[in-house]
């Protein structure tokens, strides 16, 4: 057991007892919870079948702009998750394991990113505890074993938000570009909601810390090059979809993002 005190780390509050863990046990537990038996049961509900069917149809039609379901345009969500599923189907075949491997892979990558972030901010032992807690959380495991875009969204949004925080702390413009590229990926997975949440979190942080670090954070966050990269990644599909289907703008932006 390792004892961290305020004397040993002046930026921490109080004393926190953190047990030492063997990292391989953390990896084994996470891998078992996320990957064991992925193909041992059929697709569970309409959602799993829906997303798998769209990806399968995208692969068979080679229609990479507008997702389709039974030949009808399905513009409820952007296509990034379907792209990932289609790639896995082409590599491993169309079955339960390859369908669920998309979410399990995203969950595994998310755990690795959380470990890196926690290790960078507070230490290795604390990072191991964070990964163990997250990997054993019921909701996280369920999403990591389900054919839904939510885990891919979690990975990309986590990389965008935590990555941008690290980039600001280190004044690292390249890391900030990478975080906004991840944010663009989140937009291509779930729509405009990740962008709104990202801006909301940072707005609240800047407002709460304005007298100390908020002003400098705002200047860093408003750098134009990372946001140009965000647009370069997120915008082309939206433009192509609007050109491909004249009703896309109303159905995607108004119906899905506002009316729903």
């Amino acid at each position: 057991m390792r004892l961290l005190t305020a004397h040993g780390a002046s930026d921490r509050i109080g004393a926190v007892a953190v047990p030492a863990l063997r990292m391989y046990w953390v990896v084994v537990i996470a891998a078992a919870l996320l990957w064991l038996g992925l193909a041992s049961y059929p697709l569970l509900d309409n959602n799993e079948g829906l997303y798998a069917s769209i990806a399968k149809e995208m692969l068979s039609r080679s229609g990479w702009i507008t997702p389709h379901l039974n030949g009808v345009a399905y513009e409820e969500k952007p296509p990034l998750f379907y792209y990932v599923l289609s790639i896995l189907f082409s590599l491993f075949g169309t079955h339960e394991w390859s369908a669920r491997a998309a979410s399990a892979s995203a969950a595994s990558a998310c755990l690795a990113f959380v470990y890196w972030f926690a290790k960078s901010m507070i230490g290795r032992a604390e990072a191991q505890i964070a990964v163990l807690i997250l990997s054993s959380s019921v909701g996280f495991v369920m999403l990591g074993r389900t054919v839904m875009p939510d885990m891919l969204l979690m990975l990309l949004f986590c990389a965008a938000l935590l990555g941008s925080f690290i980039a600001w702390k280190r004044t690292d413009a390249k890391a900030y570009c990478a975080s906004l590229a991840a944010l663009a990926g989140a937009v291509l997975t779930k729509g405009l909601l990740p962008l709104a949440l990202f801006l909301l979190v940072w707005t609240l942080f800047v407002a709460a810390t304005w007298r100390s670090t908020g002003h400098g954070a705002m200047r860093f966050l408003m750098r134009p090059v990372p946001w140009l990269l965000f647009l370069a990644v997120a915008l082309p599909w939206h433009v192509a979809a609007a050109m491909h289907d004249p009703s896309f703008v109303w159905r995607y932006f108004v119906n899905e993002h506002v009316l729903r």
Side-chain angles (χ1 to χ4, degrees):
M1 181 172 291
R2 185 162 63 92
L3 186 63
L4 299 176
T5 64
H7 177 73
S10 59
D11 58 337
R12 299 174 196 175
I13 300 175
V16 182
V18 180
L21 293 175
R22 297 288 185 180
M23 190 61 195
Y24 62 80
W25 282 117
V26 178
V27 173
V28 167
I29 292 171
L33 290 172
L34 291 173
W35 289 94
L36 191 63
L38 279 184
S40 62
Y41 50 97
L43 299 183
L44 294 175
D45 53 26
N46 292 336
N47 281 329
E48 283 201 306
L50 181 145
Y51 294 121
S53 297
I54 291 174
K56 183 179 178 181
E57 189 165 344
M58 177 176 281
L59 189 62
S60 63
R61 292 167 55 99
S62 296
W64 302 102
I65 297 178
T66 303
H68 284 78
L69 179 63
N70 297 326
V72 179
Y74 189 85
E75 297 171 335
E76 180 179 333
K77 292 180 177 65
L80 184 57
F81 183 65
Y82 309 130
Y83 292 165
V84 175
L85 282 178
S86 297
I87 292 171
L88 290 172
F89 287 165
S90 66
L91 291 175
F92 302 108
T94 306
H95 44 70
E96 287 83 357
W97 185 90
S98 56
R100 294 192 175 109
S103 294
S105 298
S108 301
C110 188
L111 291 174
F113 191 88
V114 168
Y115 176 80
W116 169 81
F117 176 81
K119 182 181 176 183
S120 300
M121 297 300 297
I122 52 179
R124 178 179 299 176
E126 294 84 353
Q128 292 173 355
I129 292 293
V131 169
L132 184 62
I133 291 173
L134 182 58
S135 64
S136 60
S137 298
V138 174
F140 183 85
V141 173
M142 289 178 63
L143 287 178
R145 299 178 61 91
T146 305
V147 189
M148 292 182 67
D150 298 71
M151 185 52 67
L152 179 60
L153 170 66
M154 184 180 296
L155 165 64
L156 293 169
F157 187 74
C158 179
L161 193 60
L162 301 184
S164 63
F165 184 79
I166 289 285
W168 165 65
K169 294 287 285 186
R170 297 178 177 177
T171 320
D172 189 336
K174 291 182 179 179
Y176 187 41
C177 286
S179 70
L180 287 194
L183 181 62
V187 169
L188 291 174
T189 302
K190 197 74 171 181
L192 300 181
L193 179 61
L195 175 61
L197 290 176
F198 181 88
L199 295 175
L200 176 61
V201 170
W202 270 112
T203 297
L204 293 175
F205 176 82
V206 168
T209 61
W210 183 258
R211 293 185 177 181
S212 54
T213 59
H215 191 266
M218 185 182 70
R219 288 200 306 270
F220 180 81
L221 294 168
M222 292 178 63
R223 294 188 177 193
V225 173
W227 285 105
L228 289 175
L229 177 62
F230 167 84
L231 293 175
V233 176
L235 199 57
W237 174 78
H238 292 85
V239 173
M243 295 176 64
H244 186 260
D245 182 2
S247 65
F248 167 80
V249 173
W250 188 90
R251 286 197 291 181
Y252 179 77
F253 290 104
V254 180
N255 188 59
E256 296 299 330
H257 284 85
V258 179
L259 298 182
R260 288 192 63 182

